[in-house]
């Protein structure tokens, strides 16, 4: 077991680093740092400026006083795919070969080539067999996560050039439960500047993963829009429904809840795709937007690029929760998911957790990573920003 480990998250806005050390009463925080990235260095599709990323990683490690040993890296990319497959029992090597064959049918690419996909998989529960009391048909369900090999190299090659060698590389947010454990049905919602990830677990077992591209950088640049959206909903007079305004989210009637069966991790069609010119529009219309003083002002702020992206987020979360309900065969969403934990840069925007809870009717709270008592601690308001990096450090302490 490692005595110390470094967790790192790379997203479109920054490099986030955390060092954890083994203490007498569990892991303690050794140091932490965030190194901002220029907007065009890392994009949802990958690394555009490797030299800039390399320097940012070196700076983050230096500022966190973390060294370079036992580094565990997490990142998200829009070409990540997560899907369910059903395969008969077979040895692990044969299972991986069968999964690679299935993925090549979906995505193409030659075995071992740059377009080949690196993968990981986890066995999951067959809910249909359980709920309908069907006998074992000698087939197992797997949650398979894959990403093009060349995309992983885009992230690790700049680090290798700086003689930094990650021991664990995780694509997505699958390590978050290490730092923010929960029982029952819990949804982990990671709000990055360009990519948003959603992970559902039932008592520690993976159940559902989805990813979409949303330009939440607009919300980070205009945080007042969150409070404005809440004020608008609270001012609505129609009772009932999923939020204070009474309007059910898209897909709540059981139809049209996203691209549910075509690869949960694939970039969604529609959400966030029409935001190519939103940054310029936001800069022109929102730079000095004031705090809303009344419902009319709140409505005006909600009807801005940042407000519309926030609305897309709420609809996507509602749709994903509805799909989780349908997949599990539950009567209500609350039967499938009892709580939501939010993390990532946008999770630190004031009011966003209450807004999500208001809209979807599920208890929602910012991630507070589990760290033992020590001389250093994370600021409470910044804890969600560091949650995934803390989780990766926990993995390092546990697995290295």
């Amino acid at each position: 077991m490692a005595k110390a480990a470094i967790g790192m998250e790379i997203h479109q806005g920054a490099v986030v680093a955390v060092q954890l050390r083994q203490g007498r009463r569990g892991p303690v925080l050794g140091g932490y740092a965030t190194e901002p990235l220029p907007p065009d260095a890392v994009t949802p599709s990958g690394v555009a400026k490797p030299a800039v990323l390399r320097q940012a990683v070196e700076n983050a490690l230096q500022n966190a006083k973390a060294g370079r040993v036992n580094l565990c890296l997490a990142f998200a990319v829009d070409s990540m795919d997560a899907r369910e497959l059903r395969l008969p029992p077979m040895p692990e090597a044969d299972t991986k070969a069968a999964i690679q064959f299935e993925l090549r049918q979906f995505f193409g690419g030659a075995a071992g080539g740059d377009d080949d996909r690196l993968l990981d998989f986890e066995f999951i529960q067959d809910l249909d067999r359980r709920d309908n009391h069907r006998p074992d048909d000698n087939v197992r369900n797997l949650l398979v996560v894959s990403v093009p090999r060349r995309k992983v190299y885009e992230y690790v090659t700049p680090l290798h050039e700086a003689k930094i060698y990650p021991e664990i590389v995780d694509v997505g947010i699958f390590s978050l439960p290490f730092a923010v454990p929960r029982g029952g049905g819990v949804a982990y919602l990671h709000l990055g500047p360009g990519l948003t990830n959603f992970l559902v677990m039932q008592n520690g077992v993976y159940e559902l993963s989805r990813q979409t591209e949303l330009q939440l950088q607009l919300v980070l640049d205009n945080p007042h829009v969150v409070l404005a959206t809440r004020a608008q909903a609270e001012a609505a007079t129609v009772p009932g429904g999923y939020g204070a305004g009474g309007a059910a989210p898209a897909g709540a009637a059981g139809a049209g809840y996203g691209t549910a069966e075509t690869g949960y991790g694939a970039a969604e069609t529609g959400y966030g795709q029409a935001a190519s010119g939103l940054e310029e529009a936001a800069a022109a219309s929102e730079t000095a937007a004031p705090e809303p003083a009344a419902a009319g002002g709140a409505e005006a702020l909600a009807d801005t690029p940042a407000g519309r992206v926030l609305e897309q987020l709420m609809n996507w979360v509602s749709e994903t929760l509805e799909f989780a309900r349908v997949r599990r065969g539950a009567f209500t969403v609350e039967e499938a998911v009892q709580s939501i934990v939010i993390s990532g840069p946008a999770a630190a925007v004031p009011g966003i957790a209450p807004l999500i809870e208001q809209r979807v009717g599920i208890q929602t709270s910012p991630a507070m990573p589990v760290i033992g008592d020590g001389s250093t601690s994370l600021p409470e308001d910044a804890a969600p920003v560091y949650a995934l990096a803390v989780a990766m450090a926990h993995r390092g302490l546990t697995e290295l």
Side-chain angles (χ1 to χ4, degrees):
M1 180 179 289
K3 294 182 179 180
I6 305 162
M8 178 174 288
E9 180 193 3
I10 299 174
H11 56 69
Q12 288 74 50
V15 176
V16 181
V18 170
Q19 185 200 49
L20 294 184
R21 295 179 285 101
Q22 293 285 8
R24 293 183 178 180
R25 299 182 179 179
V28 295
L29 185 64
Y32 62 93
T34 297
E35 183 68 20
L37 286 168
D40 55 349
V42 175
T43 70
S45 60
V47 178
K49 295 184 176 181
V52 174
L53 175 61
R54 180 176 66 246
Q55 187 61 54
V57 168
E58 291 183 300
N59 292 346
L61 291 175
Q62 181 179 358
N63 294 335
K65 300 178 176 60
R68 302 186 175 197
V69 180
N70 296 335
L71 175 66
C72 305
L73 172 65
F75 65 89
V77 64
D78 60 9
S79 52
M80 184 196 82
D81 179 77
R83 65 179 64 241
E84 287 186 41
L85 293 178
R86 304 187 74 213
L87 295 173
M90 61 183 77
E92 182 174 351
D94 293 340
T95 299
K96 288 184 177 179
I99 293 172
Q100 285 283 19
F101 175 80
E102 293 290 340
L103 293 178
R104 284 195 292 273
Q105 308 313 301
F106 287 113
F107 302 107
D114 285 344
D115 291 330
D116 197 11
R117 300 180 75 88
L118 299 176
L119 64 89
D120 199 1
F121 65 91
E122 185 84 17
F123 294 106
I124 58 176
Q125 195 172 22
D126 187 334
L127 297 174
D128 183 61
R129 179 189 301 157
R130 184 203 66 183
D131 295 341
N132 295 293
H133 307 288
R134 292 192 291 104
D136 190 345
D137 56 4
N138 207 33
V139 174
R140 295 187 294 181
N141 283 29
L142 300 91
L143 176 61
V144 178
V145 181
S146 68
V147 66
R149 184 185 302 270
R150 56 188 170 81
K151 291 300 178 181
V152 177
Y153 289 166
E154 284 184 14
Y155 282 85
V156 300
T157 299
L159 276 63
H160 288 175
E161 292 173 350
K163 296 181 169 44
I164 301 170
Y165 302 101
E167 299 286 346
I168 298 174
V169 177
D170 198 6
V171 182
I173 63 169
F174 297 93
S175 297
L176 263 176
F178 279 84
V180 196
R182 291 286 190 278
V186 56
Y188 295 92
L189 178 63
H190 194 69
L191 305 173
L195 290 170
T196 296
N197 287 83
F198 199 100
L199 177 68
V200 177
M201 299 189 72
Q202 289 286 342
N203 294 313
V205 178
Y206 294 112
E207 193 159 278
L208 170 66
S209 172
R210 292 186 78 189
Q211 175 177 280
T212 191
E213 186 173 343
L214 285 170
Q215 297 299 325
L216 292 181
Q217 184 62 49
L218 291 169
V219 177
L220 288 165
D221 293 339
N222 301 277
H224 52 270
V225 77
V226 174
L227 298 179
T229 302
R230 285 190 64 196
Q232 182 183 18
E234 290 169 356
T237 56
V238 182
Y242 279 73
Y257 33 84
T259 52
E261 299 293 343
T262 58
Y264 312 132
E268 306 292 333
T269 56
Y271 295 110
Q273 302 299 317
S276 57
L278 295 187
E279 290 86 350
E280 293 79 5
S285 65
E286 296 187 324
T287 24
E291 289 289 338
E299 184 175 354
L301 282 174
D303 188 24
T304 60
R308 288 190 287 273
V309 169
L310 191 61
E311 184 65 21
Q312 290 171 356
L313 171 66
M314 298 303 148
N315 287 338
W316 183 76
V317 170
S318 297
E319 292 171 354
T320 306
L321 288 169
E322 174 64 12
F323 175 66
R325 180 197 70 78
V326 172
R327 183 188 178 279
R328 195 163 182 80
F331 183 71
T332 64
V333 169
E334 291 83 353
E335 291 180 35
V337 175
Q338 290 84 55
S339 63
I340 299 173
V341 177
I342 62 172
S343 58
V349 174
I352 196 163
L355 175 62
I356 294 173
E357 181 171 331
Q358 179 188 63
R359 289 293 298 271
V360 303
I362 303 293
Q363 179 185 354
T364 303
S365 59
M368 298 298 294
V370 175
I371 302 175
D373 295 331
S375 58
T376 306
S377 60
L378 290 172
E380 184 174 341
D381 58 350
V385 177
Y386 289 93
L388 184 53
V390 172
M392 295 307 298
H394 271 285
R395 276 195 67 181
L397 292 179
T398 303
E399 300 179 12
L400 297 180

